[in-house]
Amino acid sequence: MLCMSPLRVLQALQYLRKLCNHPALVLTPQHPEHKRISEQLAFQSSSLRDIQHAPKLSALKQLLVDCGLGGAGGAEGATEAVVAQHRVLIFCQLKSMLDIVEQDLLKPQLPNVTYMRLDGSVPAGQRHSIVSRFNNDPSIDVLLLTTHVGGLGLNLTGADTVVFVEHDWNPMRDLQAMDRAHRIGQKRVVNVYRLITRGTLEEKIMGLQKFKMSIANTVISQENASLQSMGTDQLLNLFTLDKDEKAERSEPSSSSSEKASMKAVLDGLGDLWDQQQYDTEYNLDSFMHSLQ
């Protein structure tokens, strides 16, 4: 039976994730098959950077066109498009995938689409100005972001469409990225699209996301999401420090005695003071007079 180290397994998973996005992410010049495949594609009057070899880019192009972006037209048509078109956030996990979207799709295939970019290479001090310009300038069609940077408290209500080119193992990261367009001040319906390569590792990633969200929704539901759903004994246990959990587990019958002791403690607390008693006890003038 073949045994692989955890590091090699993670490398293999990362390799498959990149392959789902674009072959150029794995078929680098250092790859042993790079030269042979490049020559084969050149013989077919094609290249590795042709979007026909990357189904996700073809799907993303069609999606942007369906959103009213990238269409050719005159000056009047262009003015109408600025008012009527959708505005899109495109999220990728890898900065290198953003490079491919920018260099292989937007610039050569959709030159009429205006866009900005926000990733880890942008200094933190300049990110607010990029976000502010995108939200306030309707002539900017697309904002390219990495999921890590795009999930850090940004307000991107200028967009009404979110597209995930890549997906994270952690569903909360994707949800945080979605929330960028669902912030206070959003007045339009926000549509979210996920580009998934069928029959690949990405389907398993999305399956794990669904499983984790189901577990979270089961543990934390509407019925138990607040302290009000907790019983009195559960609330009182928050004030105790368990010094020996094993002893408690070995004596399940002690729970009733603990409840009785807790009740006795509460009964012995007495009534709370009224406001006049507090004013008399903690009067600053009386305290200063007692010091003389």
Side-chain angles (χ1 to χ4, degrees):
M1 181 178 179
L2 181 62
C3 182
M4 298 179 65
S5 66
L7 181 60
R8 295 298 298 271
V9 172
L10 292 176
Q11 290 176 343
L13 290 176
Q14 186 69 2
Y15 185 94
L16 292 175
R17 287 185 65 184
K18 291 180 179 179
L19 193 60
C20 292
N21 297 322
H22 199 288
L25 292 175
V26 297
L27 205 62
T28 60
Q30 294 75 26
H31 197 284
E33 294 292 326
H34 180 269
K35 182 178 180 181
R36 182 184 67 82
I37 295 178
S38 297
E39 292 176 351
Q40 180 180 351
L41 292 175
F43 181 76
Q44 300 172 357
S45 300
S46 181
S47 67
L48 191 62
R49 305 306 290 265
D50 195 329
I51 67 169
Q52 66 177 343
H53 304 306
K56 279 195 176 184
L57 290 187
S58 299
L60 181 58
K61 178 182 178 181
Q62 184 61 47
L63 183 58
L64 293 177
V65 172
D66 291 343
C67 288
L69 307 182
E76 295 181 359
T79 303
E80 182 179 355
V82 168
V83 176
Q85 70 190 2
H86 296 281
R87 305 184 67 204
V88 185
L89 304 177
I90 298 179
F91 285 98
C92 295
Q93 290 285 320
L94 303 174
K95 179 177 176 292
S96 53
M97 188 60 193
L98 279 185
D99 294 336
I100 290 177
V101 172
E102 180 180 2
Q103 301 297 329
D104 296 355
L105 177 61
L106 295 182
K107 288 184 176 180
Q109 300 289 331
L110 301 170
N112 294 330
V113 173
T114 57
Y115 67 91
M116 299 182 70
R117 177 167 172 167
L118 185 59
D119 56 41
S121 63
V122 178
Q126 299 179 11
R127 296 177 184 178
H128 177 72
S129 60
I130 293 176
V131 170
S132 178
R133 182 183 173 189
F134 176 78
N135 285 332
N136 297 316
D137 188 352
S139 65
I140 302 174
D141 304 319
V142 174
L143 181 61
L144 302 174
L145 308 99
T146 55
T147 307
H148 179 70
V149 172
L152 297 178
L154 302 180
N155 188 334
L156 297 170
T157 54
D160 64 348
T161 304
V162 179
V163 180
F164 285 94
V165 179
E166 299 181 77
H167 316 277
D168 200 283
W169 295 98
N170 184 357
M172 296 306 170
R173 288 192 177 181
D174 285 356
L175 290 176
Q176 288 173 357
M178 292 181 197
D179 288 342
R180 298 314 103 205
H182 285 91
R183 308 289 280 185
I184 296 175
Q186 178 60 267
K187 299 180 181 179
R188 293 177 290 177
V189 176
V190 178
N191 295 312
V192 179
Y193 299 91
R194 292 182 180 270
L195 303 182
I196 304 174
T197 309
R198 181 185 300 174
T200 64
L201 176 68
E202 282 193 323
E203 285 192 345
K204 295 185 179 295
I205 293 177
M206 296 309 300
L208 283 175
Q209 281 202 6
K210 185 176 181 180
F211 173 74
K212 291 179 180 179
M213 291 302 297
S214 298
I215 292 295
N217 292 334
T218 301
V219 176
I220 303 177
S221 61
Q222 291 183 354
E223 288 75 18
N224 63 5
S226 66
L227 289 174
Q228 295 178 356
S229 64
M230 298 177 64
T232 304
D233 56 332
Q234 293 176 309
L235 291 172
L236 291 175
N237 284 337
L238 298 177
F239 296 94
T240 62
L241 179 62
D242 297 333
K243 297 182 179 179
D244 191 358
E245 294 182 357
K246 294 183 179 180
E248 293 180 356
R249 293 176 182 175
S250 63
E251 299 178 2
S253 61
S254 63
S255 59
S256 59
S257 61
E258 289 180 356
K259 292 181 180 179
S261 62
M262 288 295 180
K263 187 176 184 303
V265 171
L266 291 176
D267 293 338
L269 289 179
D271 298 330
L272 294 177
W273 288 356
D274 56 28
Q275 187 62 39
Q276 183 178 0
Q277 289 177 291
Y278 282 108
D279 294 339
T280 303
E281 181 68 20
Y282 300 106
N283 184 276
L284 181 60
D285 293 334
S286 299
F287 173 75
M288 297 299 297
H289 181 72
S290 65
L291 294 178
Q292 297 177 357

